[in-house]
Amino acid sequence: MTTGCFNKARDDVKASLYDKDKGEIDGVKVKIIGKDEWEKTKEKLSKTTGCTKDEADYAIKLANDTAKATGEHVEPKVTEALTKAVFDIGGKMIGLEHRLKQPDSLARKMLTDAKEKIAKANDVGKTLTFKRAMELAQKQSFDGIRYTAVFDEGNFTESYNKVLKALKDKKIQHVRCKNFFNDFHDGNSAQKAVQDLFQCPDGTIFELQFHTTDSLAVKNGVNHALYETARLPQYEDTVGVGILTQ
């Protein structure tokens, strides 16, 4: 990465950080796929995932229901608990306006995951129906709510542990940790962060990435395209965690 690209990315990060001095955080509205967009979305899903029109119909309905329930009943409470935990220890948030995955993205992700589950079942001589595969994909969709917290590099580990404790006090369970810092330095990862999953008392899973300003600049700079590729379903680490797959 060139110095110029890195510095610009770092400046962009600093300019878009949320902190407790910015006041009330705006809510996020779920963009339900309505009648006017339904057919267009169905066509797009068919082209991008190879699903049938009936399968796309089912995916849109499931995604609408999932996003609506998450956005109305879960996300506001999670955002309140998480931002308080981060702000209270001097951290900041970035990209809060994108914290809720919208139905079109959810539908595409669930269809892709369902197709993979069906293929894996076929490989071992088992049968998995499309509907059951979609139900599993819905249950195991771990980034329907996703956040990014930013801390000073000097107290990063201490801040990380404090956030975990604050969320545990709210009955939010830490269920998975992926530390990409060493992998990045070894050239084995396009991102430089700690990426964790948490489970709310109602069972909802959300993703939280822990960054420093510099590590987030890596993600948002010239490595961004590589980072996005690494998040595609075929490249994701799908090793199950017991509590997530029950």
Side-chain angles (χ1 to χ4, degrees):
M1 176 182 293
T2 65
T3 302
C5 287
F6 179 80
N7 287 339
K8 181 182 185 305
R10 184 168 53 190
D11 290 343
D12 289 343
V13 167
K14 290 179 177 178
S16 55
L17 289 170
Y18 290 80
D19 59 35
K20 61 184 177 183
D21 296 325
K22 283 196 173 184
E24 186 175 351
I25 294 170
D26 292 335
V28 177
K29 291 184 178 180
V30 177
K31 300 174 184 177
I32 294 297
I33 300 170
K35 291 181 179 179
D36 293 343
E37 294 295 320
W38 196 284
E39 288 301 320
K40 187 185 297 183
T41 304
K42 193 162 67 172
E43 289 282 349
K44 186 176 180 180
L45 288 172
S46 296
K47 289 180 180 179
T48 56
T49 69
C51 69
T52 67
K53 297 294 180 62
D54 288 343
E55 289 172 344
D57 265 329
Y58 185 79
I60 293 171
K61 182 181 183 304
L62 197 63
N64 271 347
D65 292 345
T66 301
K68 188 172 186 294
T70 301
E72 290 181 356
H73 305 297
V74 182
E75 178 273 321
K77 295 178 182 178
V78 174
T79 300
E80 180 180 4
L82 179 58
T83 53
K84 184 178 189 307
V86 172
F87 294 162
D88 282 354
I89 60 174
K92 298 180 180 181
M93 305 291 290
I94 192 168
L96 278 173
E97 66 274 20
H98 303 301
R99 62 188 179 268
L100 193 62
K101 183 171 279 191
Q102 295 296 337
D104 56 343
S105 295
L106 272 176
R108 184 176 63 252
K109 179 70 162 53
M110 287 191 290
L111 280 167
T112 302
D113 288 354
K115 293 290 185 182
E116 289 183 353
K117 292 179 186 300
I118 292 170
K120 288 179 180 179
N122 290 339
D123 288 343
V124 294
K126 295 183 179 180
T127 300
L128 183 64
T129 66
F130 171 76
K131 185 175 181 181
R132 177 57 179 157
M134 286 293 290
E135 289 171 352
L136 289 172
Q138 178 195 32
K139 185 177 181 179
Q140 297 169 9
S141 180
F142 303 146
D143 63 346
I145 318 176
R146 59 272 179 98
Y147 302 91
T148 301
V150 183
F151 300 98
D152 290 336
E153 189 168 354
N155 59 2
F156 182 85
T157 301
E158 180 184 0
S159 298
Y160 173 86
N161 289 326
K162 285 182 177 179
V163 170
L164 263 57
K165 183 181 183 305
L167 293 179
K168 184 179 180 180
D169 290 344
K170 292 289 186 180
K171 311 298 183 185
I172 296 174
Q173 189 172 0
H174 185 210
V175 293
R176 191 188 74 185
C177 172
K178 287 185 177 181
N179 188 339
F180 291 100
F181 277 92
N182 289 335
D183 287 343
F184 176 84
H185 289 300
D186 293 339
N188 297 321
S189 174
Q191 65 166 317
K192 184 182 178 184
V194 177
Q195 181 179 303
D196 289 4
L197 295 179
F198 295 84
Q199 187 172 45
C200 302
D202 74 337
T204 301
I205 304 292
F206 68 89
E207 177 187 286
L208 172 59
Q209 289 192 14
F210 295 82
H211 276 275
T212 65
T213 304
D214 283 358
S215 75
L216 195 60
V218 169
K219 172 185 168 183
N220 291 348
V222 296
N223 271 9
H224 184 68
L226 290 174
Y227 168 79
E228 290 299 328
T229 299
R231 287 181 63 90
L232 291 173
Q234 60 266 41
Y235 296 109
E236 288 182 347
D237 176 7
T238 56
V239 176
V241 177
I243 195 168
L244 303 181
T245 54
Q246 292 174 354

